[in-house]
Amino acid sequence: MSIRDVYADNNATTMTAPEVLESMQPFFSSLYGNPSSMHQFGGQVKKHIDRAREQVASLISAQPSEIIFTSCGTESDNAAIRGVLEAAPEKKHIITSRVEHPAVKNVFQYLAESGYRVSELSVDCKGRLDLDELREVLDDDTALVSLMWANNETGVVFPIEQAAEMTRAAGALFHCDAVQAAGKIPIDLNRVPIDLLSISGHKLHAPKGIGVLYVRKGTHFSPYLLGGHQEVGRRAGTENVPGIVALGRACELAADSIEAENTTVKAVRDQLESALLERSIDASVNGDTVNRLPNTTNISFKFIEGESILILLSEVGIAASSGSACTSGSLEPSHVLRAMGVPFTRVHGSVRFSLSRYTTAEDVDYIVTNMIRIERRLREISPFGRDELPKQIR
Amino acid sequence: MWDYTDKVKEHFMSPRNVGEISDADAVGEAGSLACGDQMKLMLKVDEHEMIIDAKFQTFGCGSAVASASALTEMIMGKTLDEVAKITNRDIADFLGGLPDEKMHCSVMGQEALEAAIQNYRGVPGEETANRKKVVCECFGVTSDEIERVVRENDLKRIEDVTNYTKAGGGCRQCHGRIQEILDQFAPTEELAVPKPAAGKLTNIQKIKLIEETFEKEIRPMLKADGGDIELIDVEGDRVVVSLRGMCSSCSSSSFTLQKYIEPKLREFVSPDLYIEEVKP
């Protein structure tokens, strides 16, 4: 079989869409003015920022004035959480879940060390949130609830609408890390009472280095970066104009393709998942398969190890990721899978395939053929589960 | 991606001596499924204690497979006495080196070999209390294993011990105990210095220095505001304190702890310390 490049790690980052790349080019060459300048050379750039702000707002049904451009999802999360707590210092209780991205998780850990009382909501074996637990921990002292819309590792989608309503009823603010959700599933902030929401450009086919923080009108918020008057004083720093324009265009494209994400991309993902489950020796899906992003599947291959799988996939041009300890940079396996109680026999062999609208049915066939071959090869050298192996390779 | 040498990659892509020896004379295992790596080594040994065949099975990452493969090449045709001298560093060197975070893979190879030799000679595993004393509960690493890598690799920091054995890489509760083991191997004159370098303090020295720092640097400031501080416990780098007097009811006390007291302790005692408050 000929080697081809198959990128199946779109929850890590995405290809910049060709239309997006084209949209940003002029802002590296002729349109390099500073939008804050008084002259026309800079001033003409500002209207492109305004346009991008409208495009972003439109994707999530927000007002343009509620959109703040940042440098990345992590900045948006940090600015949101710390910005509202600083604006309301009298309350000392904050709530999050055990499966958040480090950009939220580590901020909460820092706040716990600085004297905040932190409640961490658990998830069940399918990565689902228990809303009753949220109801129980909300109290008069609760300043903020921060929950992700969709999980980066498993794709599991939380019941954000109900969680946000419950939080508002309790008089607390609600922040949502929607970095994985934006562009993949519909987000309607007219309907869902979210106060702050984070988006990252490079997860939806814009380049790296651009993010969005949505702050609902009327929310008390202290800026994180102090300096000039950019973003109406809520985020100082000269605007990343090419990035902003690119993100605007990417949001426009995302709005157009969101239906395809939930039909075409979903069908390709389902094809990948069912073929892997059917043809593997022993594999299982991690996470709720009902409420899940259309592009993500997280599959554990029993008795083999994730880094070995990734190296062998990479050898044949396939990019994916794993929750194994050896791929984490630390020595511990995925905190998400452990919070779900996935047994060690399966955690280390977990592989996440995250697709995009650029993934084809041929790509999926190529992944399946190679993944099945790799599973057999690694099972042959593994000391575990020998009795369960098919006779010919035992 | 890890920065593997060509030799590591080659041994991972084409591992030597994979498989089982059904009538093995010696079998040794190391690692565990919980840690994410396990190795089983099987040997055929002739009447002169020479290894005439070696096979392995490994569950683990690229460098774990490569370390096991390298080990079988290194021991083939040698006597048990000769191979007993092989250290984890020898395995890593054979592969042209391993990333620091992956040194535990070479340790696993060495441990499987040691277990196989013991299995062959019928040594009952030296199951003394000390050997089996688990220091790191997360990864099940014993004091014996930690002492060995510290001695053979001349390790100085907790971080190194974690890279070589995984110990301390989880909940961090055992950092104090690992530091004590490191202290045993540290040159004694360094321990005698009144303000030693970071990470070379015993708990008692640490407590003494913390009390000194409280007295000289912190109490005068707190007392000016009608408050005081008391040291409750020191466990590894965790310093547990309780604020007294006006401080105990002060709304900015956590700010004081984080922004003023912790930096002072880090400056004057050890840069890794962190502070926790318990309410009186």
Side-chain angles (χ1 to χ4, degrees):
Chain A
M1 193 185 339
S2 66
I3 295 218
R4 58 192 283 160
D5 285 325
V6 174
Y7 186 75
D9 203 11
N10 286 278
N11 287 9
T13 195
T14 59
M15 178 182 91
T16 302
E19 302 91 324
V20 170
L21 184 60
E22 195 191 332
S23 74
M24 66 195 293
Q25 297 287 6
F27 301 90
F28 288 113
S29 48
S30 55
L31 292 172
Y32 63 83
N34 187 329
S36 299
S37 298
M38 280 301 120
H39 42 70
Q40 175 61 19
F41 187 73
Q44 63 180 338
V45 173
K46 190 170 178 302
K47 67 177 193 293
H48 294 276
I49 293 182
D50 294 342
R51 165 102 181 97
R53 210 182 295 282
E54 284 165 17
Q55 289 166 318
V56 173
S58 167
L59 178 69
I60 55 176
S61 302
Q63 299 299 315
S65 62
E66 295 171 320
I67 302 299
I68 302 174
F69 290 111
T70 65
S71 66
C72 58
T74 297
E75 186 197 323
S76 299
D77 288 337
N78 273 266
I81 296 165
R82 297 167 80 164
V84 294
L85 293 181
E86 198 175 307
E90 64 287 352
K91 290 185 174 180
K92 288 290 177 198
H93 177 223
I94 50 180
I95 301 172
T96 188
S97 84
R98 286 199 188 153
V99 297
E100 297 298 312
H101 187 276
V104 168
K105 188 179 157 60
N106 289 343
V107 177
F108 270 70
Q109 196 180 328
Y110 169 82
L111 291 167
E113 287 163 11
S114 331
Y116 275 88
R117 188 160 57 88
V118 173
S119 298
E120 276 195 341
L121 304 177
S122 54
V123 294
D124 69 4
C125 63
K126 290 191 177 287
R128 291 174 298 204
L129 202 65
D130 180 1
L131 286 171
D132 289 336
E133 193 186 349
L134 173 60
R135 189 179 290 113
E136 274 166 33
V137 296
L138 277 166
D139 60 30
D140 293 342
D141 194 33
T142 307
L144 177 74
V145 177
S146 178
L147 292 172
M148 63 201 328
W149 201 307
N151 188 273
N152 48 315
E153 294 189 26
T154 59
V156 170
V157 174
F158 277 165
I160 287 300
E161 188 171 348
Q162 293 96 306
E165 279 166 1
M166 213 178 266
T167 302
R168 174 161 293 186
L173 292 171
F174 192 87
H175 166 250
C176 179
D177 177 345
V179 163
Q180 292 296 340
K184 293 174 192 152
I185 52 176
I187 294 177
D188 182 353
L189 294 177
N190 270 333
R191 206 163 50 101
V192 187
I194 288 172
D195 300 295
L196 306 114
L197 179 125
S198 308
I199 296 177
S200 168
H202 73 104
K203 309 284 192 195
L204 66 154
H205 303 288
K208 293 150 194 73
I210 184 71
V212 162
L213 174 60
Y214 159 88
V215 181
R216 189 178 288 276
K217 205 175 167 197
T219 307
H220 294 290
F221 169 81
S222 300
Y224 185 53
L225 283 185
L226 303 178
H229 57 269
Q230 293 89 352
E231 303 297 287
V232 209
R234 294 174 301 177
R235 200 275 187 185
T238 300
E239 296 88 341
N240 169 10
V241 180
I244 289 171
V245 171
L247 180 56
R249 182 77 177 107
C251 284
E252 196 173 61
L253 293 170
D256 291 343
S257 64
I258 206 153
E259 199 184 314
E261 287 279 341
N262 291 279
T263 51
T264 320
V265 177
K266 184 173 184 291
V268 174
R269 189 274 316 269
D270 290 344
Q271 179 199 343
L272 171 67
E273 187 171 277
S274 55
L276 285 175
L277 293 180
E278 192 191 310
R279 294 180 52 192
S280 65
I281 299 166
D282 190 346
S284 52
V285 176
N286 295 312
D288 182 10
T289 53
V290 181
N291 295 300
R292 187 168 54 151
L293 292 176
N295 78 318
T296 309
T297 178
N298 187 312
I299 300 185
S300 278
F301 297 89
K302 203 175 177 186
F303 296 139
I304 61 176
E305 198 276 334
E307 186 201 293
S308 288
I309 301 172
L310 294 191
I311 297 173
L312 293 172
L313 283 171
S314 183
E315 281 296 309
V316 292
I318 300 170
S321 64
S322 167
S324 95
C326 277
T327 59
S328 66
S330 69
L331 291 159
E332 287 199 281
S334 150
H335 72 282
V336 175
L337 299 185
R338 279 188 307 149
M340 290 160 57
V342 176
F344 279 115
T345 48
R346 295 191 184 271
V347 161
H348 293 289
S350 69
V351 182
R352 177 190 71 187
F353 297 100
S354 47
L355 314 183
S356 78
R357 56 182 186 261
Y358 300 103
T359 313
T360 64
E362 290 73 36
D363 290 339
V364 162
D365 290 342
Y366 184 74
I367 295 173
V368 172
T369 309
N370 281 289
M371 186 61 233
I372 296 304
R373 179 181 57 75
I374 289 166
E375 185 198 27
R376 290 187 172 240
R377 174 170 168 180
L378 291 175
R379 282 293 291 257
E380 277 178 57
I381 70 171
S382 173
F384 297 115
R386 310 293 304 167
D387 299 341
E388 300 160 31
L389 287 181
K391 284 238 159 41
Q392 65 272 24
I393 64 166
R394 203 186 286 170
Chain B
M1 283 222 100
W2 297 108
D3 193 12
Y4 287 139
T5 64
D6 288 342
K7 196 150 183 192
V8 172
K9 285 184 210 157
E10 206 267 319
H11 270 268
F12 171 68
M13 295 308 291
S14 316
R16 331 288 197 261
N17 307 307
V18 174
E20 279 178 291
I21 301 176
S22 50
D23 58 342
D25 300 310
V27 178
E29 289 188 13
S32 81
L33 193 52
C35 297
D37 42 28
Q38 166 123 16
M39 172 180 176
K40 185 175 179 185
L41 179 69
M42 289 147 278
L43 304 176
K44 280 300 278 182
V45 180
D46 74 4
E47 66 277 18
H48 308 295
E49 287 203 333
M50 182 183 284
I51 297 170
I52 51 173
D53 195 12
K55 293 249 191 273
F56 79 92
Q57 290 171 332
T58 290
F59 161 84
C61 56
S63 49
V65 174
S67 294
S69 169
L71 176 68
T72 57
E73 283 209 331
M74 290 167 75
I75 62 177
M76 203 79 84
K78 298 222 171 74
T79 66
L80 293 186
D81 280 340
E82 285 170 335
V83 303
K85 297 194 187 85
I86 291 175
T87 65
N88 73 286
R89 183 149 285 279
D90 295 332
I91 300 172
D93 289 346
F94 181 89
L95 289 165
L98 285 171
D100 279 350
E101 297 84 350
K102 294 290 194 166
M103 284 301 288
H104 62 262
C105 294
S106 65
V107 175
M108 182 169 72
Q110 190 275 322
E111 285 175 358
L113 175 61
E114 188 181 51
I117 296 172
Q118 280 177 5
N119 174 252
Y120 180 79
R121 293 185 167 161
V123 182
E126 288 180 48
E127 294 199 19
T128 61
N130 185 43
R131 179 180 174 77
K132 282 290 160 194
K133 197 172 167 199
V134 173
V135 173
C136 170
E137 299 279 348
C138 296
F139 294 112
V141 186
T142 63
S143 54
D144 203 54
E145 289 167 292
I146 295 172
E147 281 169 23
R148 179 177 185 138
V149 294
V150 169
R151 190 171 58 240
E152 291 184 352
N153 299 279
D154 194 23
L155 303 185
K156 301 269 187 249
R157 301 171 306 158
I158 294 173
E159 195 186 323
D160 300 326
V161 173
T162 306
N163 284 336
Y164 278 69
T165 64
K166 291 198 175 189
C171 71
R172 299 160 57 101
Q173 280 198 350
C174 61
H175 279 199
R177 185 71 192 90
I178 296 174
Q179 188 61 55
E180 283 171 26
I181 295 175
L182 285 166
D183 290 344
Q184 289 169 22
F185 291 91
T188 44
E189 65 271 24
E190 277 189 54
L191 292 174
V193 178
K195 215 173 85 177
K200 289 275 189 282
L201 293 165
T202 65
N203 241 16
I204 291 177
Q205 289 176 308
K206 214 179 279 174
I207 291 168
K208 204 159 157 264
L209 268 178
I210 292 169
E211 283 290 10
E212 265 180 42
T213 310
F214 279 180
E215 203 48 53
K216 286 184 190 149
E217 303 286 330
I218 295 168
R219 283 212 176 90
M221 179 206 64
L222 296 181
K223 285 192 168 153
D225 288 332
D228 199 359
I229 189 167
E230 193 179 339
L231 180 64
I232 305 293
D233 197 8
V234 177
E235 193 186 333
D237 287 331
R238 189 167 74 107
V239 181
V240 184
V241 300
S242 184
L243 292 169
R244 302 286 189 229
M246 295 298 280
C247 291
S248 60
S249 55
C250 170
S251 63
S252 63
S253 66
S254 61
F255 181 84
T256 307
L257 281 173
Q258 295 295 325
K259 297 290 178 212
Y260 185 77
I261 299 176
E262 192 173 85
K264 286 282 179 203
L265 289 183
R266 288 179 176 178
E267 181 183 351
F268 292 102
V269 185
S270 158
D272 298 322
L273 293 184
Y274 62 99
I275 212 160
E276 267 182 34
E277 187 192 0
V278 286
K279 295 288 177 193

